Amino acid sequence: MVKLKDHPSLELPVVLILSYFAYLIAEGLGLSGIMAILANGIITSHYTTAHLSRVGRLSIDNLTHSLAVASETTVFAILGVSLFSTAHHVEVGFLVVATASILAGRAANVFPLSYCLNSRRKKKITKPFRIMLWFSGLRGAIAFALAISDTGDEKALLVTTTFSIVIGSVIIFGGGTRPLVSYLNLSTASPGNDDFELEEQYAPGSFERFDEAFLAPIFGPESDVQPFEPLHEKASDADEEDL
């Protein structure tokens, strides 16, 4: 059997191609390609890491971080250009309802899910931190990219509304993040633990025990890097020699 970690030059293309396949399959089935990529990323981070060489892990991590920054920058550049290149149609009532719905929808996700997580966490997510999670999450670059790709009769209205929400959230929520952090007396560390380690935050659940007993031995053999260890770090001397 060929071990992927023995062929560092193949690791990067294989990981990227498999991730793209997940997107294509979801789109072909009429499902969400974005959610497929998200699920693929979670599974890849948890299981695939152990099958990669140290150099491969660092290369993939650096590339994906660079692609994420480049993609986000590109979307916001398109957003700025579209202000002058796209037809606009403003309906204040629709804009107000859309903004209120987004805020309510995010609250309906953040607060109940935080409550559910706290039932399993050893260190609870505090109320100020939950407020910060709700406040700091509105940007909408993906929503805008979807809006400009729409071909319906109401495209101008959707683009204008989405554009207004994105710009408003960047200015209001983005600009207000630091003052709110200070007001709520939050630090930049995770809630309740300066040296955050994921495995210490949760009491083991049924899936964790099932994963450890059955899935991890098959899909994730022992490795010198833990599944959740941050990889965006400086390469060691050994890595530099390998490169």
Side-chain angles (χ1 to χ4, degrees), residues 121-123 193 195-203:
R121 288 177 64 96
K122 297 178 181 178
K123 297 183 182 295
N193 188 4
D195 297 320
F196 176 65
E197 294 185 5
L198 184 62
E199 62 271 16
E200 294 184 357
Q201 293 292 322
Y202 293 90

Side-chain angles (χ1 to χ4, degrees), residues 34 71-72 74-80 82 98 102-103 106 134-149 158-171 173-174:
I34 294 176
S71 299
E72 185 176 7
T74 301
V75 170
F76 278 100
I78 295 174
L79 189 150
S82 69
I102 290 173
L103 294 173
R106 183 165 180 82
W134 168 77
F135 182 85
S136 61
L138 298 176
R139 295 298 181 271
I142 294 177
F144 181 78
L146 294 174
I148 61 175
S149 64
L158 292 177
V159 169
T160 303
T161 303
T162 307
F163 178 87
S164 302
I165 293 174
V166 171
I167 294 299
S169 66
V170 168
I171 295 175
F173 295 99

Side-chain angles (χ1 to χ4, degrees), residues 19-97:
S19 299
Y20 186 51
F21 278 170
Y23 174 83
L24 291 179
I25 292 172
E27 289 292 323
L29 295 175
L31 304 174
S32 172
I34 294 176
M35 295 304 299
I37 289 292
L38 176 61
N40 178 269
I42 294 173
I43 296 173
T44 298
S45 175
H46 189 56
Y47 295 115
T48 308
T49 298
H51 297 277
L52 303 176
S53 67
R54 181 74 176 180
V55 173
R57 289 192 291 267
L58 290 171
S59 300
I60 291 171
D61 186 72
N62 289 328
L63 176 63
T64 52
H65 275 78
S66 298
L67 290 176
V69 172
S71 299
E72 185 176 7
T73 302
T74 301
V75 170
F76 278 100
I78 295 174
L79 189 150
V81 172
S82 69
L83 176 62
F84 307 99
S85 62
T86 305
H88 294 281
H89 178 202
V90 180
E91 286 191 12
V92 177
F94 182 73
L95 176 60
V96 171
V97 171

Side-chain angles (χ1 to χ4, degrees), residues 174-193:
T177 296
R178 185 177 293 274
L180 185 60
V181 167
S182 300
Y183 176 77
L184 296 175
N185 294 320
L186 295 173
S187 66
T188 55
S190 63
N193 188 4

